[in-house]
Amino acid sequence: MSPAARRILLSVVAIAVVAVAIGLWIVRGPGPMAFADGPKVALADYRGANPVGVPAALAQASVVERGAYLARAADCMVCHTTAGGKEYAGGLGFKLPFGTLYSTNITPDKDTGIGNYSDQDFLNAMHRGIRRDGARLYPAMPYTSYTYVSDADALAIKAYLFSLTPVRAVAPANTLAFPFNQRWAMIFWSALFNPDARFEPDTSKSPEWNRGAYLAEALAHCGECHTPRNLAFALNNRRKFAGAVTAGWRAFNISADKSTGVGGWRDDDLVSYLTIGHATGHGTASGPMGEAVDHSLSKLVPEDIRSIVTYLRTVPPAVSPDLPATLAPPASASHRDGPTADARGKMVFEGACVSCHAWSGESAISPMATLTGAWAVNDPGATNVAQIVISGTRRHTPEGALSMPAFGSAYSDDEIAAVANYVTARFGSKGSTLTAKDVAELRKQTSQ
């Protein structure tokens, strides 16, 4: 080969390498904590208060008690339990665009659960998405977030799970379409999107910030619902916490943006929302967020909730352009005032909704039923309004919390679309334009 030809070949190879590197950078994107550009150190080298593990009040508790707290923080039970089923026995279906994926049994049953898992087997599943038999897990199990959980915390969770009564339960077979049913392909997905790295504290930040980062990113895996995904279904951390639709519900923007995120919320409002799923002037948690509050966040000690708030305050603002910059005020107390274009939606609201929510949206029965200020009614897409009409909400926190019954079987898709459009027009900044077809699609997306 002549020197000129060699130079041309080397140039082509260099261009190809650069192109691949740029492509990988675009697809892979930054890590979840890349926005905090302070020095990171291994946990063993950190000199501040230990950000991992359990709060000080549980420092002397048994490994099983510590594991129980950490498992609640990681919200394991909700995804591994069907409605009315045995806790942690699996079988909950996650409806995806390409089929349904079912959660597995994580009780210590030796035949159908994880009873034969060694410590290393459990760490491989938590951190690397690899089952005991070597098969790859799908990232519906959020191992790309759990990878940041410390080994000690992961094994404490294992100790707790192994303390449970074994339940014999085989999950239904997944119904994923080709090529998504090829588990081996997850080898390449994981190589791109799972860093397989434990949490490293940022020495430029406070111990409270680092604790909040560990809770929000590793255990509570907030980004799995609140961060949009890229074309490869991995988290797009360039729009970290900017909101996304997950399991048919919209997880709203929780970045520091002051208009469409939580940057304008008072600390006490955020603490209240995370603790009881309600904040005056900001609405009430429902759907998956309501479950996360009831079964996970409400179980955390106050200082852990405060640390999460401290961390959220620093997440770069990301605007949700489809949400209004200003939320709608209370509606008129008279049904004669305000939008009346959708008479059918008004009729449904009058028959099923007004007794709790009132014509003004300011409930006299419970603050948790007040609609004013809620993102759900100010979302022109009306995703969560339609879903709560379809599925209702069963809240357990605080004691005596008001729940809403499901109306999905009582009303047609057309009627649900009509009432959602009426609610967003009356109580929100801009009315939605849902159709019966949209509602039918939302019904298909909910987990079961």
Side-chain angles (χ1 to χ4, degrees):
M1 182 181 292
S2 68
R6 187 178 296 110
R7 285 195 297 272
I8 292 172
L9 178 60
L10 290 174
S11 298
V12 170
V13 170
I15 291 170
V17 169
V18 170
V20 170
I22 292 173
L24 290 177
W25 181 83
I26 292 172
V27 172
R28 186 174 186 177
M33 289 166 282
F35 71 90
D37 55 4
K40 312 294 195 303
V41 297
L43 193 60
D45 298 326
Y46 184 59
R47 296 296 172 252
N50 188 359
V52 306
V54 295
L58 291 173
Q60 303 305 314
S62 70
V63 65
V64 170
E65 291 174 305
R66 299 198 305 273
Y69 184 89
L70 295 166
R72 287 192 290 270
D75 208 14
C76 304
M77 189 270 288
V78 167
C79 287
H80 290 274
T81 307
T82 58
K86 297 287 184 67
E87 291 186 358
Y88 299 102
L92 184 68
F94 296 88
K95 294 185 178 180
L96 306 171
F98 36 82
T100 301
L101 189 66
Y102 292 92
S103 65
T104 55
N105 181 347
I106 57 170
T107 73
D109 181 68
K110 291 183 178 294
D111 295 324
T112 64
I114 60 170
N116 291 316
Y117 272 53
S118 67
D119 285 356
Q120 189 58 55
D121 292 335
F122 194 80
L123 292 176
N124 285 340
M126 284 278 288
H127 293 154
R128 302 170 189 92
I130 302 174
R131 295 191 319 202
R132 182 173 180 270
D133 63 1
R136 295 283 170 159
L137 295 172
Y138 291 102
M141 193 291 204
Y143 59 85
T144 55
S145 293
Y146 288 161
T147 193
Y148 297 107
V149 175
S150 71
D151 287 6
D153 285 356
L155 294 179
I157 291 173
K158 174 179 178 281
Y160 167 67
L161 294 176
F162 270 60
S163 75
L164 303 174
T165 301
V167 177
R168 182 174 179 78
V170 180
N174 298 328
T175 62
L176 302 183
F178 182 84
F180 302 101
N181 60 351
Q182 303 299 303
R183 283 185 181 271
W184 60 268
M186 296 308 301
I187 294 172
F188 304 104
W189 191 93
S190 292
L192 271 176
F193 301 115
N194 182 23
D196 188 14
R198 272 16 99 221
F199 179 78
E200 293 184 336
D202 185 325
T203 59
S204 70
K205 300 292 192 296
S206 68
E208 185 178 50
W209 185 95
N210 278 294
R211 175 64 173 173
Y214 182 69
L215 288 167
E217 300 294 351
L219 287 169
H221 56 278
C222 304
E224 299 289 340
C225 288
H226 289 277
T227 296
R229 294 183 180 270
N230 60 25
L231 292 176
F233 292 96
L235 299 183
N236 175 14
N237 285 308
R238 292 188 180 90
R239 285 189 49 77
K240 180 176 179 60
F241 289 177
V245 175
T246 305
W249 291 78
R250 181 165 183 173
F252 286 102
N253 188 332
I254 56 169
S255 77
D257 183 62
K258 290 185 180 298
S259 58
T260 60
V262 296
W265 292 37
R266 297 181 308 125
D267 283 0
D268 286 347
D269 292 337
L270 276 169
V271 167
S272 178
Y273 199 86
L274 293 174
T275 303
I276 65 170
H278 175 79
T280 301
H282 299 289
T284 301
S286 56
M289 187 62 195
E291 291 179 338
V293 170
D294 281 344
H295 300 291
S296 176
L297 295 168
S298 65
K299 311 298 182 185
L300 302 186
V301 298
E303 56 264 37
D304 275 352
I305 295 295
R306 288 278 177 187
S307 70
I308 293 174
V309 171
T310 296
Y311 177 70
L312 289 178
R313 290 298 190 204
T314 68
V315 174
V319 177
S320 297
D322 61 327
L323 294 178
T326 304
L327 302 181
S332 170
S334 171
H335 70 91
R336 295 182 178 84
D337 299 329
T340 56
D342 198 324
R344 183 175 36 184
K346 180 179 180 180
M347 182 174 65
V348 174
F349 185 83
E350 184 173 16
C353 314
V354 73
S355 60
C356 283
H357 300 294
W359 291 111
S360 66
E362 301 270 297
S363 176
I365 294 176
S366 168
M368 298 186 78
T370 288
L371 302 177
T372 304
W375 271 123
V377 299
N378 282 276
D379 174 14
T383 299
N384 290 6
V385 172
Q387 284 290 25
I388 200 168
V389 174
I390 294 168
S391 306
T393 181
R394 181 68 178 166
R395 293 298 315 280
H396 306 283
T397 306
E399 187 176 349
L402 187 69
S403 296
M404 176 172 159
F407 291 98
S409 59
Y411 290 101
S412 68
D413 293 345
D414 198 54
E415 289 170 320
I416 291 172
V419 75
N421 293 338
Y422 176 76
V423 165
T424 53
R426 183 171 184 83
F427 305 110
S429 298
K430 180 182 178 181
S432 58
T433 56
L434 281 184
T435 65
K437 183 179 178 181
D438 295 328
V439 174
E441 187 59 35
L442 286 173
R443 287 187 193 264
K444 294 177 184 177
Q445 294 179 41
T446 52
S447 302
Q448 56 176 239

